[in-house]
Amino acid sequence: MNHDILIIGSGAAGLTAAITLAERFKVLVLAKGDISGGSTAWAQGGIAAVLEPGDTFESHIADTMDAGAGLNREETVEFVVENAPRAIQRLVELGVPFNVEDDGDLHLTREGGHSHRRIVHVDDATGWAVQEALEKAAEANPNITMLPDMVAIDLITDRHAEAPTETDHIWGAYAFNKASGHVETFAARATILATGGAGRTYLFSTAPRGATGDGIAMAWRAGCSISNMEFMQFHPTCLYNLEVKNFLITEAVRGEGGHLKLPHDSPNPGHRFMPEFDSREELAPRDIVARAIDHEIKRLGLDYVHLDISHREPAFVREHFPNIYDKLIGLGIDMTREPIPVVPAQHYTCGGVRIDLDGRTDLPGLYAAGEVSESGLHGANRLASNSLLECFVFGEAAANHIATNWDDLPDPPAIQPWDESRVTDSDEEVVVQHNWREIRRFMWDYVGIVRTTKRLERAQHRVELLRQEVDDYYGNFRVTPDLIELRNLIEVAALIVHSALARKESRGLHYTTDYPDLAKNAVDTVLKP
């Protein structure tokens, strides 16, 4: 079957684009695993939009710029914030069952960094409800084909054409079919990257298993500019549990009055420490809260701190956080009566493939939307609940630009098939697993919440050694999903370290003890291949 447009990724950004485009075009959506296996379904919090009387676009813009430490592109922030109410309305029309008040108005909660209650949500599992509604709409549309278990390897450029040229158009992608074990060619007039972030570059992350920076790495290899990769957001409150390593305790627990305290075995048990770090206390932006927790853990030699909402009415807690409550009860923790042990964990990739307001990358025919991209919305730190919003706004923006300019997008040329004739099956899979673990460990140790130049240089040295090893391995053996991801992890780790070394200041999520002050001018870190 022929398809007009290829979308790589089946989360909020990818499916929003697909549904918008399917009014006129045949759309193919590739998912790396299950259709619902991306980050969207994991989002507990909600979606930010100006809906409350007394709230304003100007206030939402100011909160976003403040969290982003002035590095945001103002025109992007204005564009996204002003389109937010319409994005919410579209989701309501798709059947997302947002929580409502007794009078029928949407229930709004507040999260860290916001000056108003402006977060629409579905209990504490908004992402899953959104994913379900988008999938249902996509499945019902005859112009949309969704293929699971297709691991994208590389974008198809003009050099992959049977008659190669020197232009830089993107014509689709090569992807590994897990079912057949072979690589397939997917050509298209336009391609949208909606592959999510790169959380699994780190040892501790709230991101799903597949968040290995695939789209960022593929775009970089194809020739795209990548920007602001040093800004990795660490969520302050991931459950500390040795068996459950990536369960997020949503921002809204602090938004509804949760307090961060020192644990029982600390020198000052029960002490609420956030007032010592910021006047906004637990409602300070995530980077400030994460650094405060990291500071207390390192200062006192702790494994975790406590997040305590047990002073609120038990019925209120169970009603507002039913999924978290049930999960914790299953682990022997009753959040209505006792505090929750938490630690920071990598949570969101603020940098990525550089795009404009139409979702366009540097390369003709290639668009990006969602966490894979760097649109200018988040700046040096993402404001809570702006991420799903970005997916809807830019998924639609990319789709609209493709539709409006369809006649200017040429048909793809004949593409060379993937060549497996000179490689063999690997007999050393242990190399892949070992290198994967090594990357995640040194990125956590050397390129984490608090950085130094020496640590970054150590990480850079490790990246280069592993890159040589992986390139050699990749050139000699047939690809596997694990090898594809390892190759991308190395690429993304190199981009993060390079970007972090280039920034001689501390701004937002990038904090280095060697340059603790803020530079006079806020400038993006833009890397070009």
Side-chain angles (χ1 to χ4, degrees), residues 140-464:
N141 195 310
N143 280 341
I144 298 174
T145 303
M146 296 188 288
L147 293 182
D149 295 323
M150 304 296 298
V151 186
I153 304 171
D154 270 318
L155 294 168
I156 296 172
T157 65
D158 281 296
R159 66 178 179 273
H160 297 111
E162 289 191 354
T165 66
E166 293 301 314
T167 58
D168 53 5
H169 205 288
I170 298 299
W171 303 109
Y174 294 110
F176 179 84
N177 185 329
K178 289 183 183 178
S180 70
H182 292 291
V183 177
E184 298 183 18
T185 305
F186 296 96
R189 280 169 73 169
T191 303
I192 301 176
L193 288 173
T195 51
R200 287 294 168 156
T201 317
Y202 286 85
L203 185 61
F204 299 109
S205 175
T206 63
R209 166 67 175 73
T212 51
D214 304 329
I216 296 169
M218 289 192 298
W220 174 254
R221 289 193 292 266
C224 281
S225 295
I226 306 293
S227 51
N228 294 348
M229 287 300 292
E230 67 271 38
F231 297 115
M232 279 288 175
Q233 186 176 75
F234 289 81
H235 196 287
T237 55
C238 182
L239 175 67
Y240 177 81
N241 184 289
L242 297 180
E243 301 302 317
V244 183
K245 294 187 176 178
N246 58 356
F247 186 69
L248 179 66
I249 308 299
T250 176
E251 192 98 7
V253 172
R254 285 182 285 120
E256 296 295 349
H259 294 159
L260 286 163
K261 299 178 177 179
L262 296 180
H264 305 315
D265 57 351
S266 70
N268 193 3
H271 173 64
R272 187 179 168 200
F273 57 86
M274 274 311 300
E276 298 158 18
F277 290 89
D278 195 280
S279 61
R280 292 164 289 188
E281 302 171 343
E282 281 81 5
L283 290 177
R286 289 175 177 177
D287 59 323
I288 294 170
V289 180
R291 276 201 299 277
I293 296 172
D294 183 70
H295 178 272
E296 294 300 285
I297 285 175
K298 287 177 177 172
R299 180 175 72 88
L300 298 171
L302 306 173
D303 290 323
Y304 56 85
V305 298
H306 275 151
L307 176 59
D308 191 1
I309 197 171
S310 63
H311 53 279
R312 298 297 306 258
E313 284 294 318
F316 173 90
V317 174
R318 287 193 295 268
E319 179 186 344
H320 278 71
F321 308 108
N323 294 288
I324 294 174
Y325 174 81
D326 289 344
K327 178 76 171 182
L328 293 177
I329 283 289
L331 296 169
I333 302 168
D334 183 350
M335 66 187 289
T336 67
R337 303 178 64 181
E338 60 189 316
I340 307 163
V342 294
V343 291
Q346 192 285 340
H347 183 58
Y348 193 83
T349 308
C350 289
V353 183
R354 198 167 175 87
I355 59 170
D356 66 10
L357 293 183
D358 295 313
R360 289 183 295 176
T361 71
D362 294 346
L363 305 181
L366 182 65
Y367 297 74
E371 194 176 356
V372 68
S373 71
E374 196 280 296
S375 66
L377 174 63
H378 306 304
N381 184 20
R382 176 178 70 94
L383 181 64
S385 291
N386 270 355
S387 52
L388 284 176
L389 174 60
E390 182 185 35
C391 292
F392 307 129
V393 172
F394 276 96
E396 185 176 357
N400 287 339
H401 189 270
I402 290 169
T404 302
N405 295 277
W406 184 249
D407 292 340
D408 297 328
L409 291 166
D411 286 322
I415 304 298
Q416 298 175 42
W418 188 262
D419 183 8
E420 291 185 335
S421 62
R422 291 167 292 178
V423 293
T424 60
D425 289 323
S426 169
D427 57 357
E428 295 183 74
E429 281 295 306
V430 67
V431 173
V432 174
Q433 298 305 321
H434 174 80
N435 286 350
W436 175 294
R437 287 192 296 269
E438 186 173 350
I439 293 167
R440 296 179 68 203
R441 167 56 73 182
F442 74 66
M443 288 297 289
W444 182 260
D445 289 343
Y446 299 151
V447 200
I449 297 171
V450 177
R451 300 164 180 175
T452 68
T453 301
K454 184 171 279 189
R455 287 180 197 161
L456 292 173
E457 288 171 346
R458 285 182 185 136
Q460 188 175 49
H461 179 64
R462 292 302 310 141
V463 165
E464 289 310 314

